[in-house]
Amino acid sequence: MSSQSAAFKSLEDLRAACLDLPAGSDTAAAAVAKRQDTLTKPPGSLGRLETIAAWLGRWQGRDMPKLDNVKVFVFAGNHGVTAQGVSAYPSEVTVQMVANFAGGGAAINQLARIAGAALDVIPIDLDHPTGDFTIAPAMDEKAFLAAVSAGYDAVTKDLDLVCFGEMGIGNTTPAAAISTALFGGGAEKWTGRGTGVDDAGLQRKVVAIEAGLKRHTDSLSDPLKIAAALGGRELAAILGATLAARRNNVPVLLDGFVCTAAAAPLARLHPTGLAHTIAAHVSAEAGHRRLLEALGLPPLLDLGMRLGEGSGACLAVNIVRSALECHARMASFAEAGVSER
């Protein structure tokens, strides 16, 4: 799919939207927390399930949140930097996996069904890979804004919760490049084996990222220019979708390393830019745990996963549903006739 959206006409339009973010409803969050204190359990004994319920309330603006309309978006894009030998798989696998999603044969199809979530796969210009960022920007401003807008337009106000996933052979290299540019520490700190490259492939990834950082020095002070120069269309779409979710009062479950890196520029532009998100899991990809720590996002799950596709985020939908069921259906001490402390 090639986006013709004009959601953002310029980087400055996009920047202005990233700086103008709703704060969520303190009133709804407080009402949820107050009800939690009346339920038949010691205060705080459900741990993060209680804070998840309050998080849902805050970002939905409801003292009784709902999960009637949950959707997983998988954005797909292709990457020119694969010319540097950074992936164990060829680029054509991106298109083949998009077809697999359509046929219902991927892990995310099964996990979305179990979680009661709709699945929307959005390929973005797969016939036109991004530029090889070691020698040119991955995207010029027009291509970057089109991809951001494709993600932004996908997230509508009627959604109760969204998960973002990605498919793009080679995309852990842009994710590591963005993480390095945003948080420093050198490419080796952020670079992992992705789809399973050997030692030589891992070194090629590090060299490519270092070359990209050197090539785009002039962009490294601006999170949006970093995302354009070093990222990919699916990463840009996830950035746009994360921004739209915030502005539409839709809470977000972030998936793995690529999704988190894609959304990270929003956190660098606004001090609470990712407050409406929860890290669904920490992946086995080397840089993800470090990135979550840098962003202050403790993960819900740690299952050694590194698939992408939104798989970890979709698993966490079940935890969020459990949190809501306890909040909505547990009896209060008064209702149950149970003595309080």
Side-chain angles (χ1 to χ4, degrees):
M1 176 181 117
S2 177
S3 174
Q4 299 300 315
S5 169
F8 300 107
K9 300 286 190 182
S10 68
L11 278 183
E12 293 315 307
D13 283 349
L14 175 57
R15 193 184 318 280
C18 291
L19 296 174
D20 181 22
L21 301 179
S25 173
D26 289 340
T27 301
V32 171
K34 183 177 180 179
R35 172 171 166 76
Q36 286 287 330
D37 288 342
T38 72
L39 302 180
T40 47
K41 58 181 176 55
S45 60
L46 283 176
R48 286 193 73 181
L49 293 186
E50 298 186 23
T51 59
I52 288 169
W55 168 78
L56 275 180
R58 174 181 298 280
W59 296 108
Q60 291 185 3
R62 300 185 180 103
D63 56 8
M64 187 54 70
K66 65 186 183 74
L67 291 173
D68 299 334
N69 194 359
V70 179
K71 184 173 279 192
V72 182
F73 293 94
V74 178
F75 299 98
N78 271 322
H79 298 267
V81 74
T82 56
Q84 302 299 321
V86 298
S87 176
Y89 289 84
S91 293
E92 54 263 32
V93 170
T94 303
V95 173
Q96 293 164 358
M97 280 303 299
V98 167
N100 192 29
F101 298 147
I108 191 58
N109 297 96
Q110 322 322 319
L111 295 172
R113 185 181 68 255
I114 291 297
L119 176 62
D120 191 357
V121 180
I122 303 177
I124 307 174
D125 278 352
L126 296 185
D127 293 335
H128 300 95
T130 55
D132 178 351
F133 67 60
T134 67
I135 57 177
M139 294 165 284
D140 62 19
E141 182 172 328
K142 181 179 179 181
F144 175 65
L145 292 173
V148 169
S149 296
Y152 190 93
D153 291 344
V155 179
T156 52
K157 292 179 181 290
D158 61 317
L159 295 170
D160 299 322
L161 178 70
V162 290
C163 305
F164 300 135
E166 40 64 39
M167 180 63 220
I169 292 301
N171 65 11
T172 57
T173 300
I178 289 172
S179 299
T180 307
L182 291 176
F183 296 101
E188 287 191 9
K189 175 180 177 180
W190 299 102
T191 306
R193 296 184 183 273
T195 51
V197 294
D198 58 15
D199 289 347
L202 182 62
Q203 187 57 33
R204 288 193 295 271
K205 291 178 73 170
V206 171
V207 169
I209 291 166
E210 290 175 343
L213 295 171
K214 184 176 181 180
R215 170 67 178 76
H216 302 293
T217 301
D218 292 345
S219 298
L220 300 187
S221 62
D222 183 340
L224 294 179
K225 290 183 179 179
I226 286 169
L230 299 173
R233 289 186 175 91
E234 78 276 37
L235 281 79
I238 290 166
L239 174 60
T242 305
L243 174 61
R246 177 62 167 267
R247 292 169 65 86
N248 287 332
N249 299 310
V250 181
V252 174
L253 289 173
L254 289 174
D255 193 45
F257 182 47
V258 176
C259 281
T260 308
L266 188 56
R268 300 298 274 175
L269 288 164
H270 193 289
T272 67
L274 295 182
H276 65 305
T277 73
I278 283 180
H281 77 128
V282 57
S283 80
E285 184 65 11
H288 193 213
R289 192 179 300 274
R290 294 188 184 97
L291 184 56
L292 293 178
E293 290 171 354
L295 292 168
L297 294 173
L300 286 177
L301 298 168
D302 184 353
L303 299 175
M305 297 172 66
R306 55 182 178 86
L307 175 62
E309 301 180 8
S311 52
C314 204
L315 270 179
V317 171
N318 300 290
I319 294 176
V320 178
R321 289 195 183 280
S322 297
L324 181 57
E325 286 295 294
C326 288
H327 174 72
R329 297 183 183 277
M330 281 182 69
S332 68
F333 283 97
E335 290 167 340
V338 174
S339 300
E340 299 189 54
R341 289 192 300 180

